């Protein structure tokens, strides 16, 4: 009983670590607490944070979607190309979101109907969607997005009275929705069941395939949306936008204590993981720590996040055994 | 489920059924490799007819040289994937080892053999860390090797500080390894072939090799059968790391110019090659021959696209679609086969 209590606390530990890093930043780094910097710091990870939400649900259900960053790139390329062709932004958005849904359907269909592992499927669509992005836009960039649209994503436009930008507010709303779905609904419970024991979940009457399909569709949709946000934030549509983000998204989720084997994790942990990576990145940058070191820190955190809970379990199991031996 | 069926040496209740079942299974799996080889031949023929220069002396040489390093990496990766694990750090290991070897030989001449050994050692070092974390830490391989990818990449960038190794600093003896050939066949593909054949032989013949399949098929069963799982998995990572490090040294020999992010993003290409080649991502099946064919097919596709002057933008899309098609066909064949087997044993 004690062991499981320790295991469950990993996400709390990440939350505490996040607060500690934040306080360290306030105490040690000039300009960290400034309105502008905080707005920048959180806006800077907006897309990764958005994509981490469906990823959390997927990983809890024992699945993974490696194609998210490619979908972001495809959405960005499409947004740019259509804008360049003179389409209205109000028309572009639904089209791009629809493409995200179709991309998610392809992933979900291959996983649920053909019965392939999601890792293999999404490695394939990672290449496919990124490839389509470069087919759409080539190596060029489209940059002339007007202020009217761009202002909604940049970090200089904040919700009045706060340091929160609009993408971040959107993230907060979606995170709340995801938390309620995952932890307070039957659908959420079924995700845990699927992740823990898919066959058992099926025999318990959960429509496993339908649930999985839904998750991949949501993931595609949010990734396409993140593509639009990214495009407006940098004012630049490129086919290689967000390249490699899939690793960062997965790293954040796993850092937050969501078990890659499925069936375990909290949305709180995942959000704490995303924010920890974001705050740490900002703090290290402000302190002139080289980008290379930031990459190493991310890697070490990731390894520590899976290793520490195991170590704690092992040590306490050993102690327990020793105590039992002494008592007996 | 289907992954456990074709495991060789599996005891069966009725020997007669087992034998016919196994020959069917063998046929299907040989068919798998034959079909990849067939696709490869068709692709080469088609491209050759459209553009004869594709198969002139230089064309073939380029094709083999381009495939050599990917084949090596695919061989290392398959050994890990067969045990139901994955090694995402291979691309960064290639980068690190290429840079380390480049630094080592810069302006001096240590001899080719020393450079290759250094590459293997650097790679093996990285492999041991990943392997120890996966096997003794008992943590998910994807997470650990993703972390290792970041760590090794960061170390490499940090060390390189934006600098690069230039071909002018690399001794001629090393460059000769990359460009030289024997009887018209370049060295690199020959080396890859030797590693490939050696690995295939060990996997097929030795107990340790068979045990990797057992672990991938069913870790629990392998444990009960007394397979030293941790040691074997550690060994698989050690091998994958060493091969990647070796590939890094060859990278230096081939290109001469090395920057910190060589082979950046290659991990997913390598995994694609392995999966296209019929090594199941869920472990327990596949051969390094298949994986090498997969690598050769992916390389040939990009070569053919370049020769046919197809927009290089299509390359990723086609590679992705091909991967999806390959694994889907494989899956469908397997489902059919399982059904056929069940029908037979019911009779």
């Amino acid at each position: 009983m004690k062991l499981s209590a320790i295991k469950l606390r990993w996400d709390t530990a990440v939350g505490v670590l996040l607060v500690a890093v934040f306080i360290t930043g306030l105490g040690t780094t000039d300009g960290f607490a400034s309105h502008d910097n905080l707005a920048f710091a959180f806006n800077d990870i907006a897309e990764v944070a958005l994509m981490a939400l469906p990823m959390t649900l997927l990983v809890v259900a024992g699945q993974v979607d490696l194609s998210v960053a490619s979908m972001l790139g495809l959405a960005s390329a499409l947004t740019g190309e259509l804008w360049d062709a003179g389409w209205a932004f109000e028309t572009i958005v639904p089209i791009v979101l629809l493409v995200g849904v179709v991309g998610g359907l392809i992933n979900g269909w291959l996983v649920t109907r053909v019965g392939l592992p999601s890792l293999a499927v999404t490695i394939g669509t990672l290449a496919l969607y990124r490839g389509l992005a470069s087919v759409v836009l080539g190596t060029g960039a489209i940059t002339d997005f007007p202020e009217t649209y761009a202002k909604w994503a940049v970090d200089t436009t904040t919700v009045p009275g706060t340091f929160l930008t609009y993408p971040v507010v959107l993230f907060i709303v979606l995170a709340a929705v995801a938390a309620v779905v995952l932890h307070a609904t039957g659908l959420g419970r079924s995700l845990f069941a699927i992740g823990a024991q898919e066959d058992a979940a099926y025999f318990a009457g959960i429509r496993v395939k339908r649930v999985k399909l839904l998750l991949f569709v949501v993931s595609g949709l949010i990734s396409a949306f993140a593509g639009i946000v990214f495009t407006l934030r940098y004012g630049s549509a490129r086919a290689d936008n967000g390249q490699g983000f899939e690793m960062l998204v997965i790293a954040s989720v796993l850092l937050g204590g969501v078990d890659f084997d499925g069936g375990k994790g909290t949305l709180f942990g995942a959000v704490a993981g995303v924010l920890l990576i974001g705050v740490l990145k900002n703090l290290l940058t402000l302190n002139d720590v080289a980008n290379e070191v930031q990459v190493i820190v991310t890697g070490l955190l990731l390894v520590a996040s899976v290793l520490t809970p195991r170590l704690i379990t092992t040590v306490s199991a050993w102690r327990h055994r020793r105590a039992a031996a002494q008592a007996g | 489920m289907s992954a456990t069926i074709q495991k060789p040496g599996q005891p069966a209740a009725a020997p007669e059924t087992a034998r016919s079942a196994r020959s069917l299974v063998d046929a299907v799996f040989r068919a798998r490799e034959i079909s990849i080889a067939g696709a490869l031949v068709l692709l080469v023929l088609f491209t050759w007819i459209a553009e004869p220069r594709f198969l002139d002396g230089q064309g073939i040489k380029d094709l083999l040289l381009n495939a050599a390093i990917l084949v090596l990496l695919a061989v290392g990766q398959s050994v890990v994937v067969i045990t139901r694990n994955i090694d995402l750090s291979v691309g960064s290991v290639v980068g690190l080892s290429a840079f380390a070897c480049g630094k080592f030989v810069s302006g001096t001449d240590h001899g080719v053999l020393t450079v290759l050994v250094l590459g293997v050692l650097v790679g093996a070092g990285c492999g041991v860390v990943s392997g120890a974390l996966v096997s003794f830490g008992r943590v998910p391989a994807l997470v650990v090797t993703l972390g290792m990818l970041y760590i090794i990449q960061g170390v490499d960038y940090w060390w390189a500080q934006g600098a690069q190794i230039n071909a002018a600093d690399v001794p001629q003896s090393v460059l000769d390894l990359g460009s030289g050939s024997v009887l018209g066949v370049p060295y690199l593909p020959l080396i890859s072939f030797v590693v490939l054949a050696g690995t295939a032989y060990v996997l097929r013949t030795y107990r340790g090799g068979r045990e990797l399949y057992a672990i991938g098929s069913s870790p629990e069963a392998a444990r009960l059968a007394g397979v030293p799982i941790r040691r074997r998995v550690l060994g698989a990572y050690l091998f994958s790391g060493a091969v990647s490090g070796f590939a890094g040294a060859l990278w230096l020999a081939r290109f001469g110019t090395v920057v910190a992010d060589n082979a950046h993003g290659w991990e997913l290409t390598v995994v694609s090659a392995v999966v296209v080649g019929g090594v199941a991502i869920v472990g327990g099946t596949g051969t390094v021959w298949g994986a090498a064919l997969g690598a050769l097919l992916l390389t040939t596709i990009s070569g053919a696209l370049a020769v046919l002057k197809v927009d290089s933008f299509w390359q990723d899309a086609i590679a992705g679609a091909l991967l999806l098609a390959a694994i889907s066909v494989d899956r469908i064949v397997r489902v059919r086969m399982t059904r056929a087997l069940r029908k037979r044993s019911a009779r």
Side-chain angles (χ1 to χ4, degrees), chain A residues 114 247-248 292 295 310, chain B residues 138 146 150 157 281 313 331:
Chain A
V114 186
M247 298 291 185
L248 210 51
E292 300 88 67
V295 175
R310 283 309 143 133
Chain B
R138 268 175 298 166
L146 179 57
Y150 284 129
Y157 283 151
I281 204 101
F313 302 137
R331 165 77 190 172

Side-chain angles (χ1 to χ4, degrees), chain B residues 164-216:
Chain B
Q164 64 169 40
I165 310 285
N166 293 311
D169 301 330
V170 180
Q172 196 55 40
S173 60
V174 175
L175 294 176
D176 283 345
L177 178 70
S179 56
S181 56
V182 50
L183 298 174
V185 185
Y187 289 131
L188 294 195
L190 282 179
I191 296 172
S192 297
F193 185 80
V194 170
V195 174
L196 168 64
T199 312
Y201 184 75
V202 171
L203 280 182
R204 220 186 133 83
T205 318
Y206 287 94
R207 188 193 167 111
R210 305 306 320 165
E211 284 176 349
L212 295 180
Y213 285 93
I215 294 168

